[in-house]
Amino acid sequence: MPPSVVLVTGVSRYLGGRLAARLAGDPAIDRVIGVDTVPPSRPLAALLGRTEFVRADIRNPLIARVISAADVDTVVHLSISATPGSAGGRVSMKEMNVIGTMQLLAACQKSASVRRLVLKSTTAVYGSSSRDPALFTEEMEPKALPRSGYAKDSVEIEGYVRGFGRRRPDVALSVLRFTNFIGPRIESQLTRYFGLPAVPTVLGYDPRVQLLHEDDALEVLRLAATEDRPGTVNVGGAGVLLLSQAIRRAGRMPVPVPSPAVTAVGRLIRRAGLVDFSPEQMRFLNFGRVVDTTRLRKDFGYTPRYTTVEAFDDFVRARGLRPVVDPELVARAERTALGALDRLSTLDPTGSGRG
């Protein structure tokens, strides 16, 4: 059965607002309620249509009143922050992510009307290490358990959701482990990273990167919210990009940084307000991460429209990224250097260095 009343947390953010707008455009859904601690921006509010905005903090037990008063039957939990800066610091981020989820689950557990719960999780729960497999399946455990930040919060949140599932087996649970989002409009640490004119990388490492287009992410969330598609599912585009390939496609300049200096460089970039790099994100740029999406296609029933390469190229086109150094200048310098080498070899065919 399609949902009657859907509650979306994090509605003032890009994904939450866009999802609420899509759901509000579905005549089969009676009500869409959007919850967040701050009102949506004016452009986003214009897209929300008949979505009913409720300014509420999910860390407060009063969220239970919102759910019970509206007879909410479907909850889509998107109010999980990935960066301390956007959440007001690490302590506030932890409270919103973990404590907020606990309060939301407690409210859902008490509600007799709730019958579907969708959680936006992340493939960061698998961690990033040199011992990682080529592909992570949903059953695999991380080789190096995340120790801090968004990844650690997500591991804890998934644990609480599994506990909720045991207490409320009548509720259909969808845990969606998304790879990194990218696209023409969405803003994330990764899009800001590729927007830097000089992109820091870890010297000697070229990790594999798997991406998901924002439109595919929204469609997966919509399907999970409107139909029972339970289970834990990896969600990512087909194929991978090496970090070096992505940097070249974006026209950026790589700046290899020795491993001992990576933390210090990340701290400088964070303090400058350019990119809010966390330790687990730095490890991701060191080792990368790729997941198996067979379950997404065969069991969940969705094949992303964009591959990793296509999603990244759409991001580059939409953002109007231009090469930092004119390719013609690079080609001219290469031709000059090759010409000089040819002349040297003509003067000294033995290669001995003497004329």
Side-chain angles (χ1 to χ4, degrees):
M1 290 179 59
S4 177
V5 182
V6 183
L7 183 141
V8 180
T9 67
V11 76
S12 296
R13 305 174 194 180
Y14 178 81
L15 277 180
R18 298 279 173 163
L19 176 65
R22 288 196 181 190
L23 296 175
D26 187 345
I29 300 175
D30 294 334
R31 297 175 66 188
V32 179
I33 301 172
V35 174
D36 214 322
T37 55
V38 295
S41 64
R42 186 171 297 178
L44 186 56
L47 298 175
L48 291 178
R50 61 188 178 93
T51 301
E52 304 168 36
F53 175 71
V54 177
R55 189 167 184 170
D57 191 331
I58 62 171
R59 292 171 293 184
N60 193 309
L62 291 177
I63 189 65
R65 295 187 183 179
V66 177
I67 292 175
S68 62
D71 284 332
V72 172
D73 56 67
T74 299
V75 175
V76 185
H77 185 26
L78 307 181
S79 184
I80 301 174
S81 179
T83 55
S86 62
R90 174 59 188 145
V91 174
S92 178
M93 172 181 163
K94 177 83 172 181
E95 289 179 355
M96 179 59 75
N97 288 350
V98 179
I99 306 302
T101 299
M102 291 174 66
Q103 291 288 2
L104 182 66
L105 293 176
C108 291
Q109 184 174 332
K110 295 175 183 176
S111 171
S113 61
V114 173
R115 56 184 177 83
R116 182 182 296 128
L117 174 66
V118 180
L119 172 70
K120 178 184 77 70
S121 190
T122 170
T123 55
V125 298
Y126 298 117
S128 292
S129 78
S130 60
R131 298 181 291 115
D132 287 350
L135 293 173
F136 276 106
T137 65
E138 289 84 354
E139 294 81 10
M140 289 182 176
E141 297 292 328
K143 297 298 182 181
L145 196 69
R147 296 186 298 249
S148 63
Y150 173 54
K152 184 174 186 295
D153 290 353
S154 297
V155 170
E156 294 181 23
I157 288 168
E158 284 198 12
Y160 290 125
V161 169
R162 285 192 293 271
F164 169 80
R166 290 191 291 271
R167 294 187 295 273
R168 286 289 304 270
D170 57 309
V171 175
L173 294 179
S174 296
V175 178
L176 306 173
R177 291 176 176 167
F178 290 100
T179 59
N180 286 282
F181 300 126
I182 205 160
R185 293 170 298 273
I186 195 167
E187 290 291 337
S188 68
Q189 298 311 309
L190 200 63
T191 60
R192 296 187 188 98
Y193 171 75
F194 286 117
L196 295 173
V199 180
T201 62
V202 183
L203 181 64
Y205 292 87
D206 197 7
R208 297 172 304 150
V209 178
Q210 186 178 20
L211 304 170
L212 181 71
H213 195 280
E214 59 189 69
D215 290 345
D216 284 319
L218 285 169
E219 183 59 15
V220 168
L221 287 167
R222 186 194 69 80
L223 290 171
T226 55
E227 304 172 15
D228 283 348
R229 304 197 183 200
T232 299
V233 182
N234 291 332
V235 187
V240 299
L241 272 172
L242 293 177
L243 183 60
S244 61
Q245 293 174 327
I247 292 172
R248 285 197 300 272
R249 295 177 92 93
R252 307 293 93 178
M253 291 181 60
V255 180
V257 178
S259 294
V262 167
T263 301
V265 171
R267 191 180 299 117
L268 287 173
I269 294 175
R270 187 165 56 249
R271 287 178 178 174
L274 299 174
V275 182
D276 192 4
F277 274 136
S278 61
E280 72 265 17
Q281 288 166 334
M282 298 303 294
R283 284 191 293 274
F284 172 74
L285 295 177
N286 197 337
F287 302 109
R289 185 189 312 113
V290 181
V291 297
D292 178 78
T293 57
T294 302
R295 184 177 294 180
L296 171 68
R297 300 189 309 273
K298 293 189 174 180
D299 297 343
F300 189 89
Y302 183 76
T303 300
R305 291 173 49 210
Y306 294 82
T307 65
T308 289
V309 172
E310 291 168 345
F312 189 81
D313 287 347
D314 192 37
F315 156 74
V316 172
R317 282 192 302 269
R319 303 298 174 102
L321 296 181
R322 296 289 184 269
V324 175
V325 179
D326 188 346
E328 180 56 33
L329 290 177
V330 176
R332 194 181 307 162
E334 289 178 347
R335 289 195 297 268
T336 302
L338 290 172
L341 290 173
D342 286 341
R343 286 193 295 273
L344 284 174
S345 63
T346 301
L347 293 171
D348 183 16
T350 64
S352 62
R354 293 192 295 264

